[in-house]
Amino acid sequence: MKIYDFTSRERDFGRVVFALTLNKKKLAERIIIGKVDDVRRILNGGDGEVYYDEVRPLGSMLLTFESDMDGDWNKNILTLRESYKKISPIGNARWKMVAPVQRFFAEKYNGGEPSAMYAAILSWEEYLRFFNQNHGADLLNDSLFTLYKPFRVYAKHKPWRDEATVALSVALQSGESTVELWYPVAKRPFETVVTSASFLPLIFYYTHKIKEWGYVFGQCKICDAHFLARSRHYELCLDECRKKKATTTKKEFDERAKGDRVEQLDEAAYYYWYNRLRKLRKGKAANAEKAAAFKVEFDAFRKEAVKRKAAVKNRKLSQADFSAWLVEQQNLADKLMDG
């Protein structure tokens, strides 16, 4: 990948663009940032040096888009405007003034979020472009204000909700809704939306396509991350979360099965004792004195069984040991009957 140099004091030839391609079938987005000729060559299957080229899950741009509640991006506009006044053949007053802004742009660029990366690049490109123009400070202000506009909206609203679209629509001014549409040709199988000024039309294009395709945003039941899905039936975002869900489900099933088995063993042992006690009380072998002694041991068995069953559920006693103890208790019941 090509690395943008924010210390440059001269613009390179060529327009830097933000290109977006959506793949409905694979639920993927591709974003390329670079000089327009390089971007076009790469999309056509050729070679080119660009600043960013990634394929990500569909919806990623809308979910990770730069947000700026504190207006940090806009604060830099004032510094850039004021630096235009620092024109001197001697010294570097202008460059010293904008050094913090350069660092801010570089940090955003190195953060790896494509909308922030592009905003940083275009901001510096525009700063260098307007310096020698009449009313350059005003032109720069208008250009960057338009570029940063969605950042504030994204800080206040969720991008997948209608409220964000409404807020962005209100923010949209005439002349800001223009983008280039590169139709599929040759080795470029998908249409590509390209901007070099404002993110707003890209966002509208993206949200329109999602609604057109019937896809929806959801929140993962495992990691709580928001993601785009084919329908509301999808509750998990990634394979990793699906594996975690499968593991958790199996564990819960095993625990239930284990619990059921413990209850079954305990219930069987209970009735083993109970049936013998009933015989001592009412059967042919009825014996009140022996029944009374048996009942004392039966109550002791029940009290200890409750403790041991809890120990199994708390993983302090194995199911096998519990089962072996129940067998011992059944043998004790037989001895009491025969004694």
Side-chain angles (χ1 to χ4, degrees):
M1 292 288 179
K2 190 177 180 180
I3 305 299
Y4 190 83
D5 181 12
F6 289 97
T7 65
S8 174
R9 300 184 181 184
E10 298 291 338
R11 290 184 67 216
D12 289 335
F13 291 104
R15 182 168 52 106
V16 180
V17 298
F18 185 105
L20 170 69
T21 300
L22 304 180
N23 187 328
K24 177 184 177 182
K25 184 177 181 180
K26 294 185 177 181
L27 267 72
E29 68 177 33
R30 184 181 186 184
I31 294 175
I32 305 178
I33 301 172
K35 298 289 184 179
V36 63
D37 291 338
D38 289 319
V39 172
R40 196 184 296 273
R41 278 195 295 270
I42 288 176
L43 288 172
N44 289 340
D47 296 325
E49 272 196 304
V50 293
Y51 303 112
Y52 184 89
D53 182 5
E54 293 291 338
V55 176
R56 309 189 298 175
L58 191 68
S60 295
M61 188 190 97
L62 297 178
L63 291 169
T64 64
F65 198 83
E66 176 74 356
S67 65
D68 183 23
M69 179 62 77
D70 297 327
D72 290 334
W73 285 89
N74 286 308
K75 291 174 185 177
N76 288 296
I77 296 178
L78 180 60
T79 302
L80 295 178
R81 283 176 56 94
E82 289 298 314
S83 73
Y84 278 4
K85 300 175 183 179
K86 301 292 182 178
I87 303 174
S88 173
I90 303 174
N92 294 308
R94 172 190 172 193
W95 303 111
K96 288 180 180 178
M97 177 178 282
V98 300
V101 179
Q102 289 174 303
R103 288 193 293 272
F104 174 81
F105 289 157
E107 289 174 3
K108 289 296 183 179
Y109 177 87
N110 292 325
E113 203 296 304
S115 62
M117 290 180 69
Y118 183 70
I121 293 172
L122 190 59
S123 294
W124 194 246
E125 290 280 307
E126 296 289 81
Y127 173 70
L128 297 175
R129 179 164 77 99
F130 290 123
F131 179 72
N132 292 316
Q133 295 188 23
N134 292 330
H135 307 290
D138 293 332
L139 293 172
L140 177 67
N141 185 87
D142 293 343
S143 175
L144 298 189
F145 182 78
T146 297
L147 182 65
Y148 303 158
K149 194 179 294 184
F151 296 166
R152 191 62 178 264
V153 175
Y154 260 70
K156 295 180 178 180
H157 303 284
K158 299 299 183 183
W160 53 91
R161 293 180 179 167
D162 290 339
E163 64 199 36
T165 303
V166 172
L168 289 167
S169 299
V170 172
L172 186 65
Q173 301 295 320
S174 59
E176 295 177 7
S177 61
T178 303
V179 289
E180 297 178 30
L181 184 62
W182 296 353
Y183 283 99
V185 293
K187 296 182 179 180
R188 190 170 73 236
F190 305 103
E191 67 180 27
T192 302
V193 183
V194 181
T195 187
S196 58
S198 172
F199 287 114
L200 288 175
L202 257 69
I203 295 171
F204 289 131
Y205 170 84
Y206 211 138
T207 55
H208 172 74
K209 283 296 183 182
I210 287 174
K211 290 182 179 179
E212 178 184 314
W213 295 338
Y215 295 157
V216 295
F217 284 100
Q219 189 169 12
C220 182
K221 299 296 185 181
I222 297 297
C223 68
D224 291 331
H226 289 90
F227 68 103
L228 190 69
R230 296 183 188 275
S231 72
R232 298 197 181 279
H233 295 296
Y234 292 83
E235 297 183 334
L236 306 175
C237 62
L238 300 172
D239 287 339
E240 181 179 351
C241 290
R242 284 187 276 274
K243 290 178 181 178
K244 287 183 179 179
K245 177 63 175 178
T247 301
T248 301
T249 301
K250 184 178 185 303
K251 185 177 179 180
E252 291 175 350
F253 175 81
D254 290 343
E255 288 295 326
R256 287 196 300 271
K258 180 179 178 181
D260 291 344
R261 181 56 180 161
V262 169
E263 293 293 344
Q264 290 171 2
L265 291 171
D266 181 52
E267 184 178 7
Y270 170 84
Y271 280 109
Y272 195 87
W273 278 80
Y274 176 78
N275 289 333
R276 279 151 183 76
L277 176 60
R278 189 174 59 177
K279 289 180 180 180
L280 290 174
R281 285 175 170 173
K282 299 181 179 180
K284 294 180 180 180
N287 186 318
E289 184 177 345
K290 186 181 288 188
F294 191 95
K295 177 66 167 57
V296 172
E297 295 296 331
F298 185 24
D299 291 341
F301 160 73
R302 288 303 305 143
K303 187 175 181 180
E304 182 64 22
V306 170
K307 293 180 180 179
R308 292 181 180 249
K309 186 167 64 172
V312 173
K313 292 182 177 180
N314 293 328
R315 299 181 181 179
K316 294 181 179 180
L317 179 69
S318 70
Q319 181 178 313
D321 288 341
F322 181 59
S323 178
W325 178 79
L326 290 176
V327 172
E328 292 176 0
Q329 297 304 300
Q330 289 173 352
N331 292 334
L332 175 60
D334 290 338
K335 288 181 182 179
L336 292 171
M337 281 287 293
D338 298 335

